[in-house]
Amino acid sequence: MSEQSGSSQGRQERTELPIERGFPIERINEIAEKEGRAKMYYRPVYTMHKWWARRLGCVFRAISLYTLLDDPEKISVFEPGHEGSTLASYGDDANGESDLDIASLLERVDMTDPESLWELYPKDVRVEDKKILDPFMGGGTSLVEASRFGAEVVGNDLNPVAWFVTKKELEAGQTDVEELEEAFEQVKEDVADEITQYYKTPCPNGDHEADVMYNFWVKELDCVSCGHTVPLFKDYRVAKGRYENDDKYNVLCPDCGAVTLVDDWQSESVCNDCGHGFVPKEGNVSRGGKYNCPDCGQKYGIVDAIEEQGKPDLRLYAVEYYCGHCDDAGEKKSAYKGYKQAEIADQELFEEAKEEWKDNEHLHDYVPNEDIPEGAITAASSVSGNDLFQHGYTKWTEFQNDRQLLSLAKLLSAIDDIDNDNASEFLLTAVTDALRTNSTFCSYDAGRNGMDHIFRNNSFAPAMYPAENNVWGTKFGRGSFLSSWDMVLKGVEYANNPTERTIQDGETTESEPFAHTFGDDFRLHRGDMRNLDYENEFDAVITDPPYYDNIIYSEVADYFYVWQKILLEDKYPGFDQNKTPRAESIVTNPYLNKTAEDFESELGQAFSVIKRALKEDGTLAFTYHHSDSESWGELLESLCNVGFEVTATYPISADINKFISGEAVSFDIVVVARPLDDTEPASWNSLRRDIYRTARRTRQQLEENRELSRGDIGVMEMGACFREYSKHHGKVQRDGEIMSAKEVVQKIYGIIQEASDIGVEDVFIDLLDTSNVSYDDVNKLCRGTNATPEELKEMRLYNQDDGFELGTWDNEKRQAYIQERVNGDGGDHLSNLDKLQFLRYRYEKGQAVQNYVEKWDVDDDLRELAGRLADVTGDDTYTRVLGDRDITSY
């Protein structure tokens, strides 16, 4: 490939990668929209275990495709479903013959048409001799996707849970599904019956038992005024009547405790069992975290009452069941599935489980014994309003009731007996992922008839009326060990036979399974990435670095960690502490007094490590969450300070139209950067002209060739402008002072936001910069601006009397127009362009200009326009007519 990037002195020439020239954001966003809603169908390997803020697989596959492919001689493409058929020989005939030219695919990629390489997206693409690093691997998406291209991948994360999750994802492609099924059968034989015996309930339709899908509990406090027991219900909904009638609601009668079906839970209703009238909408908990005593009317803060009385009691009040006996007998759905009041038998069964848990001390070794550590989201802070300690929680085991602890401990004990380490770890993965929906912090979503999970707010919010899952699971329901294990199996099956989904004419198309799996060449580290000791080793770093006010991963990951360490503590380093690492995390954390300034400094340190690890011509490609110009500036400052040049930015699923309004806008973006040896000095005015032209040219090219939102175009303009600035970082002067990256970003942001303020002078300069200019160019360049062709014609900036002519300083009609205004208005209504062309004409004729310069009180806007005219025409007379002062110093 012949195109080369950059122009700084002393920089080694390097091949410009496809991702620096174009990126098919429309195609990616099309897939991302669907993949984001159905990850389990697109890439089930990532649904084996929870990790936070995980980027979509399609995004990182596209980044890898456009970053790793550079040398046609080292690329092979295998058509899915055609065993051993490479790019040089795949096609539509029986033998797969085709004359497709890889080099042509690579070279055709540019900003206006980035999709030539997209043809390879659903193919089994393999590259040679590529080594990729992700120092912030998190849930491992970048590594898995790069590994699918045959690259050697190296990952690192500070958090041991992230390390373990990524390890199992990469090992999934090398794992025998039958071995996993054998291990599962052993666990099932050992403990399934022991667990499920505690999740039975009398079937309301006969003398037999049904399976419990979910148990419904409510917290209760004693009224501080009268001592009456107050159940902490916001309202009395149980669930929509999906088994009987979707328009009706199952609600709890506050008088007799029956689950009764009503027409409208927000209106006056009558219990079908006892005839009590009530409004289900009106519970005992009001806004502001207070309870209302139904007996004496006392209102009191729930947290205050807990502080006085201790943790609330829990009462079992309802059950959702499934009866296989009635199902097999052909009963209608409302008979074999439904909601009912909890009976004495249900309460007794829980007490039996509670007694077994109390008596079986051996099983207590298989639950966490760690205290909940104080932190930004476990104690009161600016990050979260939930203070676990105010709610009476001190130990991790208090997140489950005794029946849940008994069931989970039995599972881990059985898994501990599995001889196959890999299989036991996948089983452990299923157990800890199931913890999301097996906790007293989980609620039942009455509106959608389903179990909610603990991390709905990425913090720990105690539930007023918890829902208890069937830990092992039954035929129906979500979030049980069975359903989590099913997700693990689907992930491993996918890893063994990966496919790719694309969108064609609005319809999803899935490829045949690829011949190659992934994870055959990987290495993972656990620790602070700033301690990585690599130098000149990686072709690319593809990552998703932390964003400064993002989730406090370490604290939420503790919830999984304390359970995983039970089986992993003696196997792997990093699982021997009471909590996951905190202080080394590159993130703002008010609890640890880690500020935005700390984040910026530490991110800069991280970029230094990345730059050292990259080869001289290596590439950094990463996703980033952006919200405003301040965070743009912090990012650019951190990158440029350590010697990176930003070469492109692209939006991901960012159909944002507020960009031009100046509001804070949230984007997920891809940033591409390359190492830079040195930068060149520049004045702000000269750089501003480059940035203006770059932004304008970028916008025109995109608007002409692609259907993108204004927000998408703005992000790509920003990347092009960053590239211009990166070449001069630390050496941009304005008024004798060096501008910081943050200051430049504010200016760039303004230039892009004010795109709609482009006027006559800007259009005229673009016309001067256009070869073989014609009236069509006038029309084209005026689109989307405040200038019109009629306005330019009236100002004699072009005329078509004798063919098309631009109104340059030496054009007679243009000068006549200016002279008339000078003579008639004394210059009061002259534009800056009028003034400069008038001065340029007088200078050419040897006439005095100084008296006009003094009279017009030359300002920075006039000087800046003179510089732009001088730059575009190569005629520095425009700047000299304003005096001997150097325009570049302003």
Side-chain angles (χ1 to χ4, degrees), residues 37 181 208 606:
R37 297 195 303 264
E181 290 174 333
H208 54 267

Side-chain angles (χ1 to χ4, degrees), residues 39-48 487 490-492 494:
K39 298 182 184 72
M40 71 290 294
Y41 300 114
Y42 278 74
R43 284 173 168 78
V45 69
Y46 301 133
T47 61
M48 295 194 303
M487 294 304 297
K490 283 182 169 61
V492 174
Y494 171 84

Side-chain angles (χ1 to χ4, degrees), residues 78-98:
F78 298 81
E79 177 72 359
H82 292 255
E83 188 71 30
S85 196
T86 64
L87 179 66
S89 62
Y90 83 71
D92 297 328
D93 60 20
N95 297 318
E97 293 297 330
S98 174

Side-chain angles (χ1 to χ4, degrees), residues 30-303:
E30 201 172 32
I31 299 172
E33 182 183 359
K34 296 191 175 185
E35 184 176 334
R37 297 195 303 264
K39 298 182 184 72
M40 71 290 294
Y41 300 114
Y42 278 74
R43 284 173 168 78
V45 69
Y46 301 133
T47 61
M48 295 194 303
H49 199 286
K50 166 75 175 177
W51 188 256
W52 293 266
R54 184 193 288 275
R55 298 295 184 180
L56 294 174
C58 64
V59 172
F60 274 112
R61 176 165 180 81
I63 291 173
S64 295
L65 177 68
Y66 278 68
T67 301
L68 301 181
L69 275 61
D70 56 357
D71 184 351
E73 300 301 319
K74 294 186 176 182
I75 301 170
S76 299
V77 179
F78 298 81
E79 177 72 359
H82 292 255
E83 188 71 30
S85 196
T86 64
L87 179 66
S89 62
Y90 83 71
D92 297 328
D93 60 20
N95 297 318
E97 293 297 330
S98 174
D99 296 324
L100 194 60
D101 183 351
I102 302 177
S104 175
L105 291 181
L106 296 175
E107 290 173 357
R108 287 193 341 242
V109 174
D110 65 22
M111 181 171 53
T112 62
D113 182 20
E115 294 185 12
S116 67
L117 207 55
W118 187 252
E119 183 175 347
L120 301 183
Y121 179 88
K123 309 300 183 185
D124 189 0
V125 182
R126 311 292 287 184
V127 295
E128 297 177 19
D129 304 325
K130 291 294 183 185
K131 190 171 182 179
I132 308 303
L133 170 69
D134 185 350
F136 300 105
M137 66 187 180
T141 308
S142 59
L143 298 179
V144 169
E145 297 304 324
S147 178
R148 290 184 63 191
F149 286 87
E152 177 186 352
V153 298
V154 178
N156 179 84
D157 205 277
L158 180 64
N159 196 288
V161 177
W163 178 89
F164 181 65
V165 169
T166 301
K167 174 178 182 288
K168 299 320 294 178
E169 288 170 357
L170 288 165
E171 289 175 345
Q174 314 300 315
T175 295
D176 187 333
V177 176
E178 290 186 2
E179 289 183 4
L180 297 187
E181 290 174 333
E182 289 175 8
F184 170 77
E185 289 300 323
Q186 181 180 327
V187 172
K188 180 180 178 181
E189 183 178 343
D190 288 348
V191 297
D193 290 342
E194 293 181 16
I195 295 172
T196 55
Q197 67 171 322
Y198 290 120
Y199 290 94
K200 302 291 183 180
T201 188
C203 178
N205 306 309
D207 189 19
H208 54 267
E209 289 185 322
D211 292 329
V212 171
M213 293 165 59
Y214 308 108
N215 286 304
F216 297 84
W217 298 80
V218 63
K219 290 180 177 178
E220 295 182 326
L221 288 167
D222 293 335
C223 175
V224 297
S225 179
C226 69
H228 180 79
T229 299
V230 182
L232 301 179
F233 286 112
K234 282 194 306 182
D235 57 64
Y236 291 104
R237 284 179 296 167
V238 176
K240 289 182 70 175
R242 63 171 173 174
Y243 302 131
E244 302 88 0
N245 186 327
D246 275 344
D247 295 330
K248 294 181 180 291
Y249 249 98
N250 290 288
V251 299
L252 181 73
C253 174
D255 192 54
C256 72
V259 176
T260 187
L261 200 64
V262 300
D263 293 328
D264 181 6
W265 70 275
Q266 300 189 67
S267 302
E268 181 73 29
S269 302
V270 176
C271 174
N272 294 319
D273 282 41
C274 71
H276 176 67
F278 65 105
V279 179
K281 180 182 179 181
E282 298 174 358
N284 300 321
V285 176
S286 61
R287 289 184 178 180
K290 293 184 176 182
Y291 73 76
N292 305 321
C293 178
D295 201 44
C296 72
Q298 170 73 52
K299 294 185 178 182
Y300 202 75
I302 293 172
V303 169

Side-chain angles (χ1 to χ4, degrees), residues 337-454:
K337 291 179 79 175
Y339 303 88
K340 69 185 187 74
Q341 181 179 5
E343 303 176 35
I344 293 175
D346 298 309
Q347 295 161 357
E348 289 176 343
L349 200 59
F350 178 76
E351 291 301 322
E352 290 178 23
K354 188 174 180 179
E355 281 300 310
E356 184 182 355
W357 175 242
K358 179 181 176 182
D359 294 340
N360 196 330
E361 293 185 4
H362 164 70
L363 287 178
H364 287 239
D365 293 337
Y366 289 96
V367 299
N369 60 9
E370 290 81 8
D371 294 335
I372 301 169
E374 290 192 16
I377 62 173
T378 57
S381 77
S382 60
V383 175
S384 170
N386 302 311
D387 188 323
L388 295 181
F389 306 99
Q390 288 182 351
H391 286 270
Y393 294 91
T394 59
K395 298 186 72 68
W396 287 112
T397 47
E398 293 168 348
F399 275 54
Q400 283 80 29
N401 66 34
D402 288 350
R403 176 161 50 192
Q404 290 172 318
L405 291 173
L406 174 68
S407 302
L408 292 166
K410 284 177 178 286
L411 275 171
L412 287 187
S413 176
I415 292 170
D416 199 19
D417 291 336
I418 300 295
D419 292 330
N420 184 321
D421 285 347
N422 186 41
S424 71
E425 288 179 8
F426 275 109
L427 286 160
L428 174 62
T429 299
V431 171
T432 57
D433 188 62
L435 287 169
R436 289 188 298 147
T437 44
N438 285 275
S439 166
T440 57
F441 279 58
C442 299
S443 301
Y444 189 87
D445 189 328
R448 63 176 180 85
N449 296 82
M451 189 76 172
D452 219 336
H453 62 86
I454 189 172

Side-chain angles (χ1 to χ4, degrees), residues 695-714:
R696 180 106 165 99
R697 189 179 303 116
T698 301
R699 188 184 320 118
Q700 288 173 344
Q701 289 174 327
L702 293 172
E703 288 175 344
E704 287 174 12
N705 294 278
R706 299 168 71 177
E707 294 183 3
L708 295 168
S709 75
R710 184 68 191 91
D712 290 341
I713 291 172

Side-chain angles (χ1 to χ4, degrees), residues 51-56 59-60 63 133-143 156-157 541-547 550 553 586 603 607 610 620-626 652 668-671:
W51 188 256
W52 293 266
R54 184 193 288 275
R55 298 295 184 180
L56 294 174
V59 172
F60 274 112
I63 291 173
L133 170 69
D134 185 350
F136 300 105
M137 66 187 180
T141 308
S142 59
L143 298 179
N156 179 84
D157 205 277
V541 171
I542 301 176
T543 188
D544 178 29
Y547 184 63
N550 214 325
Y553 296 112
I586 301 178
L603 188 61
F607 284 138
I610 289 170
L620 168 60
F622 63 96
T623 53
Y624 192 72
H625 182 79
H626 156 262
I652 309 170
D668 283 331
I669 56 175
V670 176
V671 178

Side-chain angles (χ1 to χ4, degrees), residues 511-565:
S511 72
E512 293 294 322
F514 288 13
H516 300 94
T517 180
F518 52 81
D520 53 355
D521 192 358
F522 75 90
R523 185 165 69 258
L524 302 181
H525 304 287
R526 194 213 61 80
D528 188 339
M529 65 80 59
R530 288 167 290 180
N531 295 327
L532 290 175
D533 191 22
Y534 291 108
E535 187 171 352
N536 195 29
E537 189 161 340
F538 294 94
D539 298 281
V541 171
I542 301 176
T543 188
D544 178 29
Y547 184 63
Y548 75 93
D549 62 356
N550 214 325
I551 302 162
I552 310 294
Y553 296 112
S554 54
E555 291 189 30
V556 286
D558 279 348
Y559 179 68
F560 297 132
Y561 170 78
V562 292
W563 287 88
Q564 289 177 352
K565 78 184 288 281

